[in-house]
Amino acid sequence: LSVAPARAASAPGRVVFPVDGGSVIEYQSGAVALPEGGAILVGHVPGSVGMYVVKVSASGEPDPSFAVGGAARIPGSYAFLQVLLQPDGKILIVAFRSSSSAREPLGWGVEHGQLVVLRLTADGALDPSYGSGGVASVPMQAGCVCSDTAAEQHDGELVLTGQRTTGSQERDIRWAVARLAVSGSLDAGFGSAGVAVLPGEDGVGLAVAVASDGAITTQGQIDLSSGNSTGPALMLTRLTSTGAPDLSFAHGAAFRVPIFSLDDSYGQDPDPVPMLVGEDGSVLVQAYPVPSEPLDPRSELVGIGLARYTAAGELDPSFGHAGYMELPGDETGDQLVPASEGAVLAIHMDVEQTASRRAGNSRAVPGVFQIERVDSRGALDTTFGGPRGLAVSVPFGGGESDILVPSAETLEAPPTLEEDSFLPASLERWPQLLPQPDGSYLIPGSVSVRQPGLSGRPDELTAEIAIAALTPAFTLDPAFGGPAQPLDLTISVTRQRAATDARHDGARVTLDASMPGLCSVKITTRGRLLAEHLLPILRVGPQTLPVKLTRFGERYLRRHRNVSVTVIATARDLLANTTTAQATGVLDYDSDSLLIP
C-alpha cells in the first residue's frame, strides 16, 4: 500500500485537495460518513490503475493520523464501487477486477469483473487479517457500477449482490447474493457454500440492503425478453438470513418494480433505482406511478415518484395514493436519505445540466441540485422550499476553457469564467449527502479544469477531490473548511514563436497561479483588443499558453513589429476565489508567422 499526502485548500464550506499532486477521475468515487464527523472518500486515479483513500475530519482537514497526511493510494487492477465503515473503524472497499482504472459501463448479459473486497485498518493500511493480505475475492461478478452493491450486517458480516455465470453460454448468468464472514471468507451457512443464486431467468443483482432482523432485500434485473416485453425488468425480492427466499415477503417470489411500461426496455446497462429499507421491514423505492388509477403495466406510465411496500411485500395503502406518490417535475430522486419523523429526502441533480456538463457544455450548472421532503404518509412537504422542493447550490470554480480555433470559427456556447465544475461523487447516486452528528451534511465530489482537444485529440484535464458542507438548513456551512485563501497570480508576455500552425496562432503569455482554475486574458495596444482567451490553469506553477488573436490583432500584428502591449488577466480558482494581474510587454512576429484564414 503506497501512500501520498493530501494538500488541502479551503474556503468557507468547501475543501479541495489533490491526491499525490495529480488528478482524479471525475464522478467515479464514493464516500461514507464517520460517526465523529467527517468522511472517508475513495475513488480512482487516472494514468495508473489504482484507487485513492482520503480521511477528512469534521473540520474539513485531511486527518494526519490516517496513512500519510490523510491520504493513501491502493495499487492494483481494481474499479471502485462502494465504501463502508465498520464499527471498529476499519474500512471496507468494494470493487471489481478491471484492466482499467476507469469504470466503464457494464452491459447486460455479458461477463463482468470479479467482485473483491479490500479492508483497511483505521489508520489506512491494508488489513492482513482479512482475506488474503487484506483482499477478499468473491466468487461472483459485479452486477453493475452501482453504489449499493454491498450492505453490512450488525454482526460485521458483509452481504453483496451481483451476477454469477452458471454455464458456457454468453447470457447464462444468474442474479446472486453472497455473504462474507468477518474474516473475509465465504460464510458457509449462507446459500450454497456462501452464495445464494436466485431462481428463474437470466438476471443480475444491482443493490442490496440488510434489515435489523437480518433479512436481505435485494434489487436486480431479470430478462423478460418474451411475450410483449423487449428487455430486462427491474425486480425486488427478499431473502432470509440463511439466503433462502423469504416466504413472508411477496410469498418468496421476486416481483417487478414499476419503472417502465411493458413495451419499453429498461436499457442494456444494468442500473438500479434508489431503495431505502426501514426498520419495520418496509421498502421505499423510486417508481413511475400512474396517478389516480390502478397500476396497469401495459399503460403509459406518467410521472416519477416513490412507491412503498410493506414488510409483507405489498403496496402500502397508507402511503400516498395506493402506495405511490409523485415527485414534482421530471427529475428522479437519485438518493433517498432518512429525515426526522419518518420523512425522507429525495435528492437529485438536474439531469440535463449534469449530463450536459459531462458532455462539455460549459453553460451547464452542475453545482445546483434539488431536494424534496416526503413525509411518512407519502405527501410532499410544500413548506420545504416550496411546491418543487428546495434548490441548493454548491459553489465551486473551474470548468471548461475556450478552445483555440481560427477566428473565422465561432462557438455556440463559449465558456465563461463563472463556471461551476462541481460533479458529484457517483453517476449512479448524485449527489451523495452524508449526514453528520450535528445535523449538517457533507457532499463529496470533484472539481476540474478542462482544455478541449483539437482534431480528435483527447481533452487535457485536471480534476481534484472536492467536498462541501451544508448546515441543517441546507446552506453552505462556514464552520467547515476555513477562511478563503487568496489566489496568487502573475502573468508575463513570453517571447513569441517564429512560426505556428494556423489553429494555434496566438500571443503567448506565461501564467503562474497558486491553484488550478480558469483565467480570462485580454491583450491590448493603444486601447485596441489584439487577443482574448479563456485559458486553463491546469496545474500550480508557471505554464506558457497561447491567447487567441482577434481579427484586428491578426491584421495589426501582420503589419507591425515590436508592438507594445498591456495584458490584463482575471483568474478564478477551483474554490471560486478571484484575482487580477497585469503586465506589459512586446509582441514581435515575422511577417510569415501569422496565417490568416
Side-chain angles (χ1 to χ4, degrees):
L1 182 66
S2 61
V3 294
R7 301 185 306 277
S10 63
R14 291 151 293 159
V15 175
V16 171
F17 54 91
V19 172
D20 201 15
S23 184
V24 300
I25 295 180
E26 299 173 289
Y27 54 78
Q28 294 193 4
S29 59
V32 62
L34 295 167
E36 68 274 16
I40 299 290
L41 294 82
V42 184
H44 287 306
V45 288
S48 62
V49 178
M51 299 180 288
Y52 66 81
V53 187
V54 177
K55 185 176 183 181
V56 180
S57 69
S59 65
E61 292 291 330
D63 187 341
S65 67
F66 183 81
V68 175
R73 178 177 290 185
I74 304 174
S77 300
Y78 304 121
F80 168 75
L81 291 175
Q82 186 181 356
V83 55
L84 303 99
L85 187 67
Q86 294 191 305
D88 60 0
K90 292 182 178 180
I91 302 162
L92 295 176
I93 299 173
V94 183
F96 63 92
R97 298 193 186 278
S98 172
S99 59
S100 170
S101 61
R103 297 188 313 180
E104 300 296 334
L106 301 179
W108 171 262
V110 297
E111 187 171 346
H112 301 165
Q114 182 188 19
L115 279 172
V116 294
V117 181
L118 299 84
R119 188 164 76 184
L120 306 185
T121 62
D123 58 3
L126 276 173
D127 184 356
S129 67
Y130 188 77
S132 175
V135 182
S137 297
V138 184
M140 190 167 65
Q141 299 169 4
C144 60
V145 287
C146 306
S147 56
D148 290 317
T149 298
E152 193 174 7
Q153 296 185 167
H154 291 295
D155 59 4
E157 294 197 340
L158 189 69
V159 177
L160 305 98
T161 190
Q163 69 179 39
R164 194 169 199 188
T165 303
T166 59
S168 58
Q169 298 298 316
E170 183 182 34
R171 292 179 57 85
D172 195 6
I173 61 173
R174 292 293 184 272
W175 179 359
V177 177
R179 187 162 69 196
L180 297 181
V182 177
S183 64
S185 61
L186 283 171
D187 182 354
F190 182 82
S192 174
V195 180
V197 178
L198 277 68
E201 304 296 329
D202 287 348
V204 55
L206 304 177
V208 67
V210 179
S212 57
D213 62 356
I216 300 165
T217 302
T218 179
Q219 183 188 138
Q221 282 187 21
I222 295 292
D223 187 9
L224 297 179
S225 299
S226 60
N228 295 325
S229 179
T230 58
L234 195 69
M235 310 292 284
L236 196 66
T237 193
R238 178 172 288 168
L239 306 178
T240 67
S241 59
T242 63
D246 188 343
L247 300 180
S248 68
F249 187 78
H251 306 290
F255 61 88
R256 183 175 177 177
V257 178
I259 293 299
F260 54 95
S261 57
L262 203 60
D263 60 355
D264 183 25
S265 171
Y266 186 64
Q268 295 305 307
D269 295 334
D271 197 13
V273 297
M275 178 175 71
L276 192 62
V277 177
E279 289 295 328
D280 59 355
S282 62
V283 183
L284 187 69
V285 294
Q286 179 185 304
Y288 288 25
V290 180
S292 307
E293 63 183 56
L295 179 66
D296 180 358
R298 292 176 177 80
S299 68
E300 181 180 356
L301 301 181
V302 180
I304 298 173
L306 302 174
R308 188 166 73 189
Y309 297 91
T310 66
E314 301 172 347
L315 283 170
D316 186 348
S318 68
F319 183 83
H321 175 76
Y324 297 94
M325 68 82 57
E326 188 171 0
L327 293 170
D330 298 325
E331 309 301 342
T332 59
D334 292 287
Q335 187 189 17
L336 300 177
V337 176
S340 60
E341 300 177 349
V344 64
L345 302 178
I347 306 151
H348 63 81
M349 297 189 79
D350 187 293
V351 172
E352 291 185 2
Q353 293 279 26
T354 305
S356 183
R357 172 68 184 89
R358 293 200 305 268
N361 179 6
S362 59
R363 294 186 301 179
V365 187
V368 177
F369 58 92
Q370 201 79 13
I371 304 177
E372 289 100 17
R373 189 178 190 273
V374 179
D375 67 22
S376 60
R377 298 174 290 106
L380 188 69
D381 184 355
T382 57
T383 67
F384 186 82
R388 295 186 65 85
L390 182 69
V392 178
S393 176
V394 184
F396 282 98
E400 183 174 291
S401 68
D402 199 356
I403 188 169
L404 190 65
V405 296
S407 57
E409 297 187 27
T410 58
L411 298 177
E412 294 182 2
T416 69
L417 193 65
E418 299 301 316
E419 298 175 48
D420 185 339
S421 67
F422 177 79
L423 283 175
S426 169
L427 289 178
E428 293 75 41
R429 284 287 187 89
W430 15 273
Q432 185 180 11
L433 255 66
L434 303 178
Q436 297 289 283
D438 61 356
S440 63
Y441 298 90
L442 296 182
I443 311 174
S446 67
V447 289
S448 62
V449 179
R450 186 184 301 274
Q451 169 65 61
L454 283 170
S455 304
R457 299 174 186 172
D459 294 356
E460 189 174 358
L461 171 76
T462 182
E464 298 186 356
I465 302 166
I467 186 165
L470 300 177
T471 67
F474 295 97
T475 59
L476 207 61
D477 187 353
F480 184 83
Q485 299 172 347
L487 173 63
D488 295 326
L489 174 71
T490 60
I491 189 168
S492 61
V493 179
T494 307
R495 180 179 179 182
Q496 307 301 299
R497 295 191 299 186
T500 175
D501 180 80
R503 282 186 172 269
H504 290 79
D505 274 342
R508 298 176 68 79
V509 298
T510 298
L511 293 171
D512 190 347
S514 58
M515 188 179 189
L518 296 175
C519 186
S520 175
V521 177
K522 295 182 178 181
I523 303 178
T524 62
T525 184
R526 298 182 179 182
R528 300 295 298 272
L529 186 63
L530 294 176
E532 183 177 16
H533 206 158
L534 185 64
L535 296 175
I537 305 174
L538 294 169
R539 59 184 180 274
V540 174
Q543 55 182 318
T544 299
L545 298 168
V547 182
K548 184 164 53 181
L549 298 175
T550 64
R551 284 285 194 181
F552 170 79
E554 291 174 345
R555 294 193 301 268
Y556 190 88
L557 292 174
R558 189 174 180 87
R559 295 192 297 265
H560 297 80
R561 300 292 300 270
N562 296 317
V563 178
S564 296
V565 298
T566 299
V567 183
I568 299 178
T570 302
R572 185 169 180 261
D573 66 19
L574 296 177
L575 286 166
N577 301 311
T578 61
T579 192
T580 300
Q582 183 170 321
T584 58
V586 175
L587 295 182
D588 187 23
Y589 290 91
D590 294 334
S591 60
D592 295 331
S593 66
L594 292 176
L595 305 178
I596 302 176

